Amino acid sequence: MDKRDIYDGLSKLELDLESSLQQLTAMKAALQEIVEKNTTLELENQKLREYLQELKEENAAEEVKQGMSKSRMNLEKIYEEGFHICRESYGARRENDEQCVFCLEVLYRESQN
């Protein structure tokens, strides 16, 4: 191998190393951006979990205030959507959203022990 080939080989190796260094720098920057986004998302996720917990606690407190069980609240929602929840017409659509005495009795009667 003569001196010219060695010099050309070293020049090519230098260019390859510079190219690799540029790729490594770009990958490092991309990784840094991903880590920052991940950290931001983790913080946001934690805040959302805390907010959900607060909402659950508020709902539980509201349920206690209303004195209605969750199942009765679900029945009330179905009734408000325009469907019967009484034994006589369960699941049928209420005509013109008229009130049904039987449904209201199911919703608001006192618990029988």
Side-chain angles (χ1 to χ4, degrees):
M1 204 178 226
D2 70 1
K3 293 177 186 176
R4 182 77 175 155
D5 291 337
I6 293 173
Y7 182 77
D8 289 342
L10 286 175
S11 294
K12 183 179 181 320
L13 180 60
E14 181 182 17
L15 291 175
D16 289 345
L17 287 174
E18 286 175 358
S19 174
S20 295
L21 182 60
Q22 288 175 352
Q23 289 176 350
L24 183 61
T25 304
M27 290 171 67
K28 183 179 175 184
L31 180 62
Q32 180 65 29
E33 184 179 325
I34 290 170
V35 168
E36 288 174 3
K37 282 183 181 180
N38 189 32
T39 302
T40 302
L41 289 173
E42 285 176 349
L43 290 172
E44 186 176 340
N45 213 0
Q46 181 61 34
K47 287 179 184 177
L48 288 173
R49 283 189 182 111
E50 290 170 1
Y51 180 69
L52 272 175
Q53 185 62 34
E54 288 175 16
L55 286 178
K56 286 180 183 179
E57 289 170 3
E58 287 175 11
N59 284 342
E62 186 177 308
E63 186 176 307
V64 169
K65 285 180 190 175
Q66 291 178 350
M68 290 181 82
S69 66
K70 190 172 183 176
S71 59
R72 282 203 182 170
M73 290 173 71
N74 287 335
L75 286 174
E76 183 178 45
K77 182 179 176 186
I78 293 169
Y79 181 75
E80 288 172 359
E81 289 175 356
F83 294 95
H84 283 279
I85 57 167
C86 60
R87 197 180 278 181
E88 289 77 15
S89 303
Y90 185 82
R93 179 149 299 276
R94 291 185 292 131
E95 302 263 338
N96 300 322
D97 288 332
E98 293 177 351
Q99 291 190 355
C100 172
V101 176
F102 301 114
C103 291
L104 293 174
E105 199 272 327
V106 168
L107 279 176
Y108 301 114
R109 73 174 166 229
E110 294 295 318
S111 296
Q112 298 173 355
N113 291 330

